[in-house]
Amino acid sequence: MASLHPGAVVLTGAEATPAATLAAMAGGGLAHVAAHGQHQTENPLFSTLELAGGPLLGYDVQELRTAPRTVVLSCCDLGLTDVRHGDEALGMPTALLAAGTATVVASVSRVADEAAMEIMAAYHRAVVAGRLPAAALAEAVRGGNQPSSFVCFGAG
């Protein structure tokens, strides 16, 4: 998918640490993270992206000085949120939106690697073709062979 976005910064293996990921995300137009994810019901801001060198937490994204405009989380469960007292929704999407990200695309359940790859490839092709994130996701899901639990949050 990086080949669809000229100049994309790609972090793989040992270089995909939480600090390097946050640095690469800062100020970008689009950040796509493909990793294992886990939503933490007890404390949603402890929801994690499993990266080399340790987890990237919902709390960590609040360190971004300039959040990317769009964040795609191609991983399980990180689209989940929990509502706390006062009707405050907490989770990775809300942490990113609060940090200044306009749009978050994430799954609200477990997703098979094959399904995620198919849907995300179609999503990125649609974005490159000029579709807004929500329309690109709807197009990717509608045209795919895999069931989808990906949702678009924010100003899609």
Side-chain angles (χ1 to χ4, degrees), residues 3-5 7 12 22-24 44-46 55 64-65 75 90 107 112 129 133 139 153:
S3 63
L4 294 172
H5 302 281
T12 60
L22 286 173
L45 292 178
F46 281 120
L64 290 167
R65 281 197 234 161
C75 51
L90 293 175
S107 176
E139 185 176 313
F153 299 88

Side-chain angles (χ1 to χ4, degrees), residues 27-76:
L30 171 68
H32 180 112
V33 181
H36 290 290
Q38 186 175 16
H39 176 71
Q40 297 293 330
T41 302
E42 298 80 34
N43 189 337
L45 292 178
F46 281 120
S47 295
T48 59
L49 284 162
E50 296 300 325
L51 303 174
L56 177 68
L57 306 174
Y59 279 114
D60 296 330
V61 301
Q62 296 174 347
E63 294 178 21
L64 290 167
R65 281 197 234 161
T66 307
R69 178 156 178 71
T70 301
V71 174
V72 178
L73 301 173
S74 183
C75 51
C76 297

